[in-house]
Structures are given as C-alpha cells and as structure tokens.
C-alpha cells in the first residue's frame, strides 16, 4: 500500500481515488490529430442549422449589462461531416466589449465572422436577455428600474439579411370587463404578460428607439401599467385607470395588433396575451399572427 502524504493536494486526491494519467498512443499535437468534423464525402443530406444553444453570455441592452442567452448556428453542406463548433464562441468573442451589445448591427457582425470562419452559406443567431430601464411613476414621477424581456434574431446568407426578428415580453395590468359589469363593487384584475415576435422588414430603417416604441404600445393598450415605485397618489391613479380601462385578453390582443400593423418597419408578427387570473388557478390567453 503506497504511503500517501495527506498534507499535499496530490496525496489527498490519490487517497480519494485519483490516478496518474497514462502515456497514451494518440497524438497530442493538433496537426497530428484526426479532424473528423472536416472530413469530406457524401453525407446524404445538407443540414439547415447546426450549432449551439442555451449559451449564457453577458450582453449589453440599452444602458445596462444583463445576462444573455444565445443560440448560434450555421448551415452545413452535404459533403461535410460537421462544423467546427469552437469557432462559434470565437466569433461571439470578437464583439465582446463587457458583453455583446444586443442589437442587429452587432449580431450581424458576429454572423459575418461566423459565416466566413465556418465557410458555410448561412448563419443565424438568437440572443435574448432582460432589458432594464428607468421608469417613472405616473404621478410623483419617482423613477425606479423596470424591465422587459427582449430577443433579437437574425439570419444571413451570402446575399445579406434573410430574416430579422425582434421579440419582447412586457408585463401589464388587466381588469376584467365582465367582473366590472356584473359586480356591485370592484372587479378582479391581474398581472398580464404580453409577448410579441416581430418580423422586421430588412430594408426598412429600424428606429433608434424601437425597444421603447414597442414597450409603450404593448403596455398602453392594457388596463394599466406596472411601475417600480408607487406612492399612495400613484397607487390611486393606477387603480382608477385600470377600472376605467377594462380589458379581456381578446380586447388587449386586438388593440395591440392595431398599433403593430401601423409600424411601417414591421412585416408581420406573432402575438400572445396571457393573464395570470386572480380568480382561478389557471391562466387565460389569446394568440394571433398577422402578415402584412
Ligand atoms: N461538430 C460538432 N462538434 C461538437 C459536437 N459536440 C461537441 N463538439 C465540439 O467540438 C469542438 C472541437 O472541435 P473544433 O471546433 O472543430 O476544433 P478544431 O478543429 O481544433 O478548431 P479549428 O482550429 O477552428 O478547426 C469543441 O468545441 C466541442 O464543443 C457535435 O455534436 N458536433
């Protein structure tokens, strides 16, 4: 039995079962290693998308750093076995300046680098994260940090941008019109989630304040809005505003859809409203899609 020195880390590791590495027969230098991914023959099909997802990576959204989640991929030709996946992260790193800026220009740069380094025709990315921004209360104008979830999706090929999508999920207040109508007092209300995925015209000029525009039209059509800081005077305002503007999930989705159709940089959209019902254990939802 080997006498182990438990005062050293090496000794403790062996004591707990670690073994020495073997000499091995396979090459250790990169030039001598098999490169399976790059092997060429007829692999039966081309592949639409191959890459990585569920990647957590720092992002900058607006004025703040945030935690991003990414999916990045390229197409793959029929005569190639695989892609060199390490180049995906290398491409993302080229735009890392205290996080990757979540906007179409920066993501476009990442995709151009990726497409070139990977020698593939198409490249695509979806980057999502929480966008933080200051939001003042409706009466006292006291500002606190609010947030909405945003998603930028881009797909390019040798001819330029193929697909450009902008997603957002915002939280709102909805007050039930039926409950208001039938009850002697009060009306049940709840926190609602409005989720939109916009198909953006690649040729149109995307306004600088597109996030703000989108957030505003998602929440302004609801019964009332959510605020970080509310004093009593503010609380009275939002309570009464909700009572004055009752909305079913059906009302909300139609009112938002009207505003979205009016945006000239939007080609189409998928929209969902979901209420976490305060009088049920289940939720209520409405969903629609629209192409101009
Ligand atoms: N294609 C492919 N790669 C995978 C898969 N699973 C893991 N990998 C990756 O294989 C990568 C290593 O391969 P490459 O990126 O091709 O490394 P390399 O050939 O030394 O890189 P280059 O010098 O850029 O050619 C690692 O980043 C792994 O994440 C898979 O299912 N398919």
């Amino acid at each position: 039995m080997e006498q182990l020195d438990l005062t050293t880390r090496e000794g403790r590791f062996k004591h707990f079962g670690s073994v020495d590495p073997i000499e091995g027969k396979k090459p250790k230098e990169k030039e001598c290693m098999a490169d399976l991914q790059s092997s060429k023959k007829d692999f039966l099909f081309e592949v639409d998308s191959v890459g990585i997802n569920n990647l957590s990576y720092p992002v900058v959204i607006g004025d703040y750093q945030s935690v991003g989640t990414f999916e990045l991929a390229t197409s793959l030709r029929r005569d190639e076995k695989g892609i060199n996946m390490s180049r995906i992260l290398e491409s993302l790193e080229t735009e890392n300046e205290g996080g990757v800026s979540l906007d179409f220009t920066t993501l476009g740069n990442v995709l151009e680098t990726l497409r070139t380094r990977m020698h593939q025709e198409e490249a695509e990315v979806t980057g999502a994260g929480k966008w933080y921004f200051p939001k003042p209360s409706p009466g006292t104008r006291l500002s606190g940090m609010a947030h909405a979830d945003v998603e930028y999706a881009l797909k390019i090929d040798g001819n330029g941008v193929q697909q450009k999508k902008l997603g957002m999920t915002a939280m709102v207040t909805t007050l039930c019109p039926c409950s208001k109508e039938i009850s002697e007092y009060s009306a049940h209300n709840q926190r609602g989630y409005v989720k939109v995925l916009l198909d953006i015209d690649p040729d149109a000029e995307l306004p600088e304040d597109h996030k703000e525009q989108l957030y505003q039209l998602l929440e302004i059509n609801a019964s009332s809005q959510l605020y970080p800081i509310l004093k009593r005077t503010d609380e009275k305002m939002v309570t009464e505003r909700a009572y004055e503007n009752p909305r079913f999930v059906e009302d909300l989705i139609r009112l938002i859809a009207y505003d979205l159709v009016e945006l000239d940089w939007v080609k189409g959209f998928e929209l969902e409203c979901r209420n976490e019902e305060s009088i049920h254990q289940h939720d209520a939802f409405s969903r629609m899609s629209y192409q101009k």
Side-chain angles (χ1 to χ4, degrees), residues 30 35 37 82-87 90:
K30 189 179 175 195
D35 188 358
Q37 285 90 318
I83 62 166
N84 299 99
M85 286 194 177
S86 60
R87 298 179 197 176
E90 287 177 336

Side-chain angles (χ1 to χ4, degrees), residues 238-274:
V238 296
T239 307
E240 291 172 357
R241 187 203 288 164
Y243 197 75
E244 290 154 8
N245 297 282
R247 300 279 188 271
F248 283 134
V249 279
E250 296 94 322
D251 301 326
L252 183 54
I253 204 165
R254 287 171 167 143
L255 288 168
I256 293 171
Y258 190 95
D259 281 347
L260 290 175
V261 171
E262 295 221 306
L263 296 175
D264 52 15
W265 43 278
V266 169
K267 283 203 303 180
F269 54 85
E270 291 166 36
L271 183 57
E272 183 185 279
C273 301
R274 181 176 64 85

Side-chain angles (χ1 to χ4, degrees), residues 98-118:
V100 167
S101 202
L102 212 51
D103 59 63
F104 289 117
T105 308
T106 307
L107 295 180
N109 294 341
V110 171
L111 291 188
E112 268 311 333
T113 307
L114 180 58
R115 221 175 64 83
T116 312
R117 288 193 182 182
M118 211 71 101

